[in-house]
Amino acid sequence: MAELTSSNPRTGSKSKLMKLKHHLTPKRLLKMQERETPEGDSVKRRSVKKLLSVRNVKPPMQTTAELQNTSNKMSRNESISSDNSPSKHPKKQRTPKNSGVSKNTIVKHLKAKRLSNAKIIATEGKSLKVPQANFKEHVSPKHKLKSKELDTNDEPEFDRKDASINDSWEMAVKRARGRPDGEAAVSLEVKRARREEKGKSGEDDQVKVHDVKKKEKAFGNKIKKIASKKVQSMKTASKEIKKGLKRKLSTKESSEEASKRPKLEELTKKERKKKRQMQNPNFELIVKTKHIWEQLRRHDLTKEKRQKLCSELYRIVKGKVKELLFAHDTARVIQCLMQYGSQEHRDGLFEELKEHITEIAKSTYASFFVKKILKYGTKSQRNHVFRSFHGHVRKLIRHSVAASVLEYGYNEYATATQRSAMMEEFYGPSFSLFKDHAQTTLDEILISQPNKRDMILSNMKEAIVPLVDKTSLTHTIVHRAFYEYFTYATAKMKADMIETVRDHLIHMLHTREGSRVAMQCVWYGTAKDRKVIIKSLKSHIVKACKEEYGHMVLLAIFDVVDDTKIVHKAILEEMLKSVHEVAMDQYGLKVLLYLLSPRDGLHFHPDIVKVLEQGDGNPTSKKDASLRRSELLQAVSPSLLQYIIDHTKELVMSNSRLLLILTILTHVQGDPTSAMEAISKIAAEPFVSGNLENFHIIEHPAGHMTLKKLIKNDAERMKEGGKVLFSEVLLRTVPEGALKSWAACNRGCFMLISLLELGHPTVSAEVQKELAPVKKSLGKMDFKGAQILHNKLSTSPP
């Protein structure tokens, strides 16, 4: 089909008419054609709507020719009104109610008129291709509704606003000529083409009409195919968006990408992890550093090889240390380099990170690097770390990660001055901002500035109370802050603080200051406070007994708590269920000894006794101390005697448990005969001198001392009027001739000497009777014990 071009009068540019073909419906083309007819025919193109606009006037009867002319005029009027309407779908036209022309007749003539106009376009030399598909697309439901209404027998009335007498055909033509530039240009081209082909015959009219319809149909099919492809591509793009893709691909690109790239769901867990890691811009660098780290952390590397790997690793990570330090895997690489690297490498890492110490201390993975600096760094580097903490101690101690770093530095590497500097931040902002190096402790500050006592205690309370419910309550620096507060607080302040911390004291028993705080709470707390404290220790008694400082809290409870029933039920019962575990521990042993013989200088250091004496004058305890101790001893005596019976051999062969057996048999309330018999049965076993595999209790280093101590303890029992003596039980238990075999070794001789020196007539007579046959043999033996025993037997009265 030939192309028609038109010149735009406004822009001066040329555009092809074919570019507008999807906008030009047959109806619009007809309007453009009619607009270009000569002005002499304007009367013939007058609208039927305008002729019938006079109200209540019936038109005269029309002939067939006049009816055809009227239908043509009405068709032109519809085209003009359709172009002037701003809406895409014009309002339906109403015919006069009493026009005398039926709607069915008008519709038939309109169809005939459209067909004739199509023939006119076909006869032109350069005819236009009118897309039938587009014409169908532009038929709106509103047009369909109009055609349905016209098929009915009802004749709607004209709208009075549209039926204006003054609206002449010239004004309608004027409005119609004000069309867009493209349509005006198209109308000029149509007019020019018609003039060129004016003299040609119309023999091929029917053929060209057929060609136009055929091409219209082909064009419509092509439009449908393009539209279906577009819809398919849009569906594909929407599916990709639902799957979480970040960009839309065309149909071809999406198919190629789908064939090359596997779906995320099809990948294994390891492959998905690697895919995520590859998105890191430092992925290749991380892979290299981890490969070196795997070799560097081996313990069988030579010093030269390790230094070579450290140098290579430092060369790779230099300048990117901070980026790598905050990741969970590469953080270990940097820590390893700090540990095994040379001093040059450590200095380089420190210089790169020294301005970010506080930030690093808060990171879950990077915080360990600060600990490495404290451990492997120089003294100046450690001092820089502590200076970095200055002003941030109260914030860092509330941070779950940074608090452990602060605790590590405070306990392991901080000097006394640095510890005091860290504690000063709890006293108030003035002490953290304006440091006085002459005053390093709270005691010195209060002596020089006593008027600031209330202000300091108020700031300390404000700082430490929020730490009660946090994990940082387990740290030493927090315990020291609590201890200093209790040391200088008034009775009212102590009471308030005890009520706050009484449920959480179990987390403070493992440090010296923390145990002192718990003891202060036990001493100065009310009966209700003490009850809450004891219940909070439930299920932790055995662990508390084995704590270096925690067992002191139990001793304080035994000293001051009047309610011995709750002590027995909550503490002693749980402890006695695991009495062997407690007795085998050095601190647990002190708890048992304190129940048997409290504040005994034989078992407890004077400093410990001095600390425990601080709670003697507390205002809460009313019961007599001796009565309280007697009730506790009565509660534990049966279990301790049974414990000796069940673990006799293990106890008598242990030098450290010798005092426990002696104390139990000496101070226990009840009959100790069964426990003494259990020990005597071990001594009654057959004795063979010189057996190095299984030491008899007589030759055992700890066993023979246990027997000697128990025999000497009988002297005190005799003074106190005790009816049961270990010596009598022993001689009654051992078989006849056992004492002769004991005299064959040095230690056995010394034990027999102890029996003779006891001074008990029955015991001395029994020993002399048993040793009489070997008296001469003892004189011939050269070891010291035999000589002393021989002299004793010789000088002793028969």
Tab-separated table of all heavy atoms in Angstrom, residues 499-529:
chain	number	residue	atom	x	y	z
A	499	GLU	N	16.652	-5.031	100.193
A	499	GLU	CA	15.364	-5.416	99.596
A	499	GLU	C	15.464	-5.519	98.079
A	499	GLU	O	14.742	-6.304	97.453
A	499	GLU	CB	14.299	-4.394	99.993
A	499	GLU	CG	12.894	-4.801	99.599
A	499	GLU	CD	11.858	-3.824	100.107
A	499	GLU	OE1	12.234	-2.869	100.828
A	499	GLU	OE2	10.674	-4.013	99.805
A	500	THR	N	16.366	-4.767	97.467
A	500	THR	CA	16.523	-4.790	96.007
A	500	THR	C	17.301	-6.012	95.524
A	500	THR	O	16.943	-6.632	94.514
A	500	THR	CB	17.235	-3.511	95.541
A	500	THR	OG1	16.493	-2.372	95.982
A	500	THR	CG2	17.357	-3.480	94.022
A	501	VAL	N	18.368	-6.373	96.261
A	501	VAL	CA	19.286	-7.409	95.767
A	501	VAL	C	19.112	-8.768	96.435
A	501	VAL	O	19.816	-9.718	96.072
A	501	VAL	CB	20.751	-6.954	95.951
A	501	VAL	CG1	21.012	-5.674	95.219
A	501	VAL	CG2	21.110	-6.819	97.428
A	502	ARG	N	18.198	-8.907	97.363
A	502	ARG	CA	18.126	-10.144	98.150
A	502	ARG	C	17.789	-11.370	97.291
A	502	ARG	O	18.174	-12.502	97.641
A	502	ARG	CB	17.100	-9.987	99.263
A	502	ARG	CG	15.673	-9.771	98.788
A	502	ARG	CD	14.742	-9.425	99.917
A	502	ARG	NE	13.361	-9.262	99.448
A	502	ARG	CZ	12.360	-8.871	100.235
A	502	ARG	NH1	12.595	-8.599	101.518
A	502	ARG	NH2	11.130	-8.754	99.745
A	503	ASP	N	17.095	-11.182	96.188
A	503	ASP	CA	16.753	-12.316	95.314
A	503	ASP	C	17.874	-12.686	94.350
A	503	ASP	O	17.781	-13.719	93.681
A	503	ASP	CB	15.494	-11.992	94.497
A	503	ASP	CG	14.261	-11.888	95.378
A	503	ASP	OD1	14.140	-12.720	96.288
A	503	ASP	OD2	13.438	-10.974	95.165
A	504	HIS	N	18.916	-11.878	94.260
A	504	HIS	CA	19.953	-12.080	93.239
A	504	HIS	C	21.338	-12.314	93.845
A	504	HIS	O	22.334	-12.247	93.115
A	504	HIS	CB	20.006	-10.862	92.314
A	504	HIS	CG	18.679	-10.485	91.733
A	504	HIS	ND1	18.154	-11.096	90.612
A	504	HIS	CD2	17.755	-9.564	92.132
A	504	HIS	CE1	16.976	-10.567	90.341
A	504	HIS	NE2	16.712	-9.632	91.242
A	505	LEU	N	21.410	-12.587	95.121
A	505	LEU	CA	22.719	-12.748	95.768
A	505	LEU	C	23.456	-13.994	95.305
A	505	LEU	O	24.678	-14.078	95.451
A	505	LEU	CB	22.546	-12.775	97.288
A	505	LEU	CG	22.088	-11.463	97.939
A	505	LEU	CD1	21.895	-11.655	99.431
A	505	LEU	CD2	23.098	-10.352	97.678
A	506	ILE	N	22.738	-14.961	94.785
A	506	ILE	CA	23.387	-16.186	94.324
A	506	ILE	C	24.398	-15.900	93.216
A	506	ILE	O	25.365	-16.652	93.034
A	506	ILE	CB	22.312	-17.198	93.840
A	506	ILE	CG1	22.937	-18.549	93.529
A	506	ILE	CG2	21.565	-16.647	92.654
A	506	ILE	CD1	23.579	-19.223	94.692
A	507	HIS	N	24.203	-14.794	92.472
A	507	HIS	CA	25.112	-14.441	91.382
A	507	HIS	C	26.344	-13.671	91.865
A	507	HIS	O	27.191	-13.317	91.047
A	507	HIS	CB	24.373	-13.576	90.350
A	507	HIS	CG	23.141	-14.220	89.797
A	507	HIS	ND1	23.184	-15.374	89.049
A	507	HIS	CD2	21.833	-13.879	89.900
A	507	HIS	CE1	21.952	-15.719	88.702
A	507	HIS	NE2	21.118	-14.828	89.205
A	508	MET	N	26.446	-13.446	93.167
A	508	MET	CA	27.546	-12.639	93.688
A	508	MET	C	28.451	-13.409	94.649
A	508	MET	O	29.379	-12.836	95.213
A	508	MET	CB	26.977	-11.407	94.412
A	508	MET	CG	26.056	-10.567	93.561
A	508	MET	SD	25.282	-9.208	94.468
A	508	MET	CE	26.697	-8.157	94.759
A	509	LEU	N	28.213	-14.691	94.828
A	509	LEU	CA	28.928	-15.443	95.852
A	509	LEU	C	30.331	-15.864	95.425
A	509	LEU	O	31.119	-16.299	96.271
A	509	LEU	CB	28.139	-16.701	96.232
A	509	LEU	CG	26.716	-16.492	96.747
A	509	LEU	CD1	26.110	-17.825	97.158
A	509	LEU	CD2	26.700	-15.521	97.922
A	510	HIS	N	30.669	-15.774	94.162
A	510	HIS	CA	31.931	-16.333	93.672
A	510	HIS	C	33.100	-15.355	93.764
A	510	HIS	O	34.220	-15.721	93.422
A	510	HIS	CB	31.772	-16.798	92.225
A	510	HIS	CG	31.369	-15.707	91.291
A	510	HIS	ND1	30.068	-15.258	91.196
A	510	HIS	CD2	32.088	-14.965	90.412
A	510	HIS	CE1	30.007	-14.300	90.302
A	510	HIS	NE2	31.218	-14.094	89.814
A	511	THR	N	32.866	-14.136	94.200
A	511	THR	CA	33.956	-13.170	94.342
A	511	THR	C	34.058	-12.726	95.801
A	511	THR	O	33.103	-12.869	96.586
A	511	THR	CB	33.730	-11.930	93.454
A	511	THR	OG1	32.549	-11.242	93.886
A	511	THR	CG2	33.589	-12.325	91.995
A	512	ARG	N	35.203	-12.168	96.139
A	512	ARG	CA	35.421	-11.745	97.519
A	512	ARG	C	34.458	-10.631	97.900
A	512	ARG	O	33.792	-10.686	98.949
A	512	ARG	CB	36.874	-11.273	97.684
A	512	ARG	CG	37.215	-10.770	99.078
A	512	ARG	CD	38.652	-10.308	99.149
A	512	ARG	NE	38.969	-9.748	100.461
A	512	ARG	CZ	38.730	-8.495	100.802
A	512	ARG	NH1	38.180	-7.649	99.934
A	512	ARG	NH2	39.048	-8.062	102.008
A	513	GLU	N	34.368	-9.597	97.038
A	513	GLU	CA	33.488	-8.468	97.348
A	513	GLU	C	32.025	-8.896	97.308
A	513	GLU	O	31.200	-8.446	98.112
A	513	GLU	CB	33.723	-7.317	96.375
A	513	GLU	CG	35.051	-6.602	96.543
A	513	GLU	CD	36.199	-7.345	95.885
A	513	GLU	OE1	35.930	-8.380	95.232
A	513	GLU	OE2	37.362	-6.904	96.036
A	514	GLY	N	31.694	-9.778	96.377
A	514	GLY	CA	30.313	-10.232	96.269
A	514	GLY	C	29.873	-11.025	97.480
A	514	GLY	O	28.739	-10.858	97.982
A	515	SER	N	30.758	-11.890	97.984
A	515	SER	CA	30.398	-12.655	99.189
A	515	SER	C	30.260	-11.743	100.407
A	515	SER	O	29.390	-11.955	101.259
A	515	SER	CB	31.452	-13.724	99.449
A	515	SER	OG	32.708	-13.141	99.738
A	516	ARG	N	31.084	-10.689	100.462
A	516	ARG	CA	30.960	-9.735	101.566
A	516	ARG	C	29.631	-8.984	101.498
A	516	ARG	O	29.006	-8.687	102.528
A	516	ARG	CB	32.121	-8.736	101.540
A	516	ARG	CG	33.487	-9.340	101.739
A	516	ARG	CD	33.677	-9.901	103.135
A	516	ARG	NE	35.063	-10.253	103.392
A	516	ARG	CZ	35.619	-11.429	103.112
A	516	ARG	NH1	34.882	-12.391	102.556
A	516	ARG	NH2	36.886	-11.674	103.390
A	517	VAL	N	29.182	-8.673	100.286
A	517	VAL	CA	27.875	-8.023	100.125
A	517	VAL	C	26.763	-8.948	100.617
A	517	VAL	O	25.833	-8.521	101.334
A	517	VAL	CB	27.652	-7.634	98.646
A	517	VAL	CG1	26.222	-7.165	98.409
A	517	VAL	CG2	28.631	-6.546	98.231
A	518	ALA	N	26.841	-10.230	100.246
A	518	ALA	CA	25.823	-11.186	100.689
A	518	ALA	C	25.837	-11.327	102.211
A	518	ALA	O	24.764	-11.436	102.845
A	518	ALA	CB	26.059	-12.537	100.028
A	519	MET	N	27.014	-11.322	102.817
A	519	MET	CA	27.099	-11.408	104.272
A	519	MET	C	26.499	-10.167	104.927
A	519	MET	O	25.821	-10.270	105.974
A	519	MET	CB	28.561	-11.583	104.694
A	519	MET	CG	29.160	-12.917	104.240
A	519	MET	SD	30.948	-13.029	104.448
A	519	MET	CE	31.066	-13.141	106.233
A	520	GLN	N	26.719	-8.999	104.320
A	520	GLN	CA	26.099	-7.768	104.852
A	520	GLN	C	24.577	-7.871	104.799
A	520	GLN	O	23.884	-7.439	105.735
A	520	GLN	CB	26.571	-6.566	104.022
A	520	GLN	CG	28.043	-6.241	104.163
A	520	GLN	CD	28.303	-5.248	105.281
A	520	GLN	OE1	27.373	-4.777	105.914
A	520	GLN	NE2	29.570	-4.934	105.517
A	521	CYS	N	24.064	-8.448	103.713
A	521	CYS	CA	22.610	-8.602	103.597
A	521	CYS	C	22.074	-9.573	104.644
A	521	CYS	O	20.981	-9.362	105.202
A	521	CYS	CB	22.259	-9.097	102.196
A	521	CYS	SG	22.617	-7.919	100.870
A	522	VAL	N	22.835	-10.628	104.951
A	522	VAL	CA	22.396	-11.591	105.968
A	522	VAL	C	22.465	-10.953	107.358
A	522	VAL	O	21.561	-11.139	108.187
A	522	VAL	CB	23.263	-12.863	105.899
A	522	VAL	CG1	22.967	-13.788	107.073
A	522	VAL	CG2	23.025	-13.589	104.579
A	523	TRP	N	23.499	-10.204	107.606
A	523	TRP	CA	23.676	-9.606	108.929
A	523	TRP	C	22.648	-8.523	109.223
A	523	TRP	O	22.055	-8.495	110.301
A	523	TRP	CB	25.078	-9.014	109.066
A	523	TRP	CG	26.164	-10.047	109.119
A	523	TRP	CD1	26.049	-11.341	109.529
A	523	TRP	CD2	27.530	-9.864	108.732
A	523	TRP	NE1	27.248	-11.984	109.424
A	523	TRP	CE2	28.191	-11.105	108.950
A	523	TRP	CE3	28.276	-8.799	108.232
A	523	TRP	CZ2	29.533	-11.288	108.675
A	523	TRP	CZ3	29.619	-8.979	107.973
A	523	TRP	CH2	30.245	-10.220	108.193
A	524	TYR	N	22.416	-7.620	108.257
A	524	TYR	CA	21.585	-6.435	108.518
A	524	TYR	C	20.190	-6.534	107.915
A	524	TYR	O	19.406	-5.587	108.035
A	524	TYR	CB	22.291	-5.184	107.986
A	524	TYR	CG	23.622	-4.947	108.656
A	524	TYR	CD1	24.817	-5.245	108.000
A	524	TYR	CD2	23.693	-4.455	109.954
A	524	TYR	CE1	26.036	-5.043	108.611
A	524	TYR	CE2	24.911	-4.254	110.573
A	524	TYR	CZ	26.089	-4.554	109.907
A	524	TYR	OH	27.304	-4.373	110.515
A	525	GLY	N	19.874	-7.664	107.324
A	525	GLY	CA	18.531	-7.836	106.791
A	525	GLY	C	17.549	-8.246	107.877
A	525	GLY	O	17.928	-8.767	108.938
A	526	THR	N	16.287	-8.027	107.597
A	526	THR	CA	15.240	-8.442	108.528
A	526	THR	C	15.047	-9.958	108.441
A	526	THR	O	15.663	-10.637	107.604
A	526	THR	CB	13.932	-7.727	108.202
A	526	THR	OG1	13.525	-8.095	106.866
A	526	THR	CG2	14.103	-6.220	108.261
A	527	ALA	N	14.186	-10.469	109.305
A	527	ALA	CA	13.900	-11.910	109.273
A	527	ALA	C	13.310	-12.325	107.923
A	527	ALA	O	13.610	-13.401	107.389
A	527	ALA	CB	12.944	-12.274	110.414
A	528	LYS	N	12.501	-11.446	107.347
A	528	LYS	CA	11.925	-11.733	106.032
A	528	LYS	C	13.007	-11.728	104.965
A	528	LYS	O	13.006	-12.585	104.060
A	528	LYS	CB	10.848	-10.691	105.720
A	528	LYS	CG	10.147	-10.927	104.404
A	528	LYS	CD	9.081	-9.875	104.161
A	528	LYS	CE	8.396	-10.114	102.811
A	528	LYS	NZ	7.350	-9.086	102.560
A	529	ASP	N	13.914	-10.763	105.042
A	529	ASP	CA	15.010	-10.717	104.076
A	529	ASP	C	15.864	-11.975	104.162
A	529	ASP	O	16.260	-12.547	103.132
A	529	ASP	CB	15.883	-9.477	104.326
A	529	ASP	CG	15.141	-8.183	104.055
A	529	ASP	OD1	14.220	-8.195	103.219
A	529	ASP	OD2	15.480	-7.159	104.677
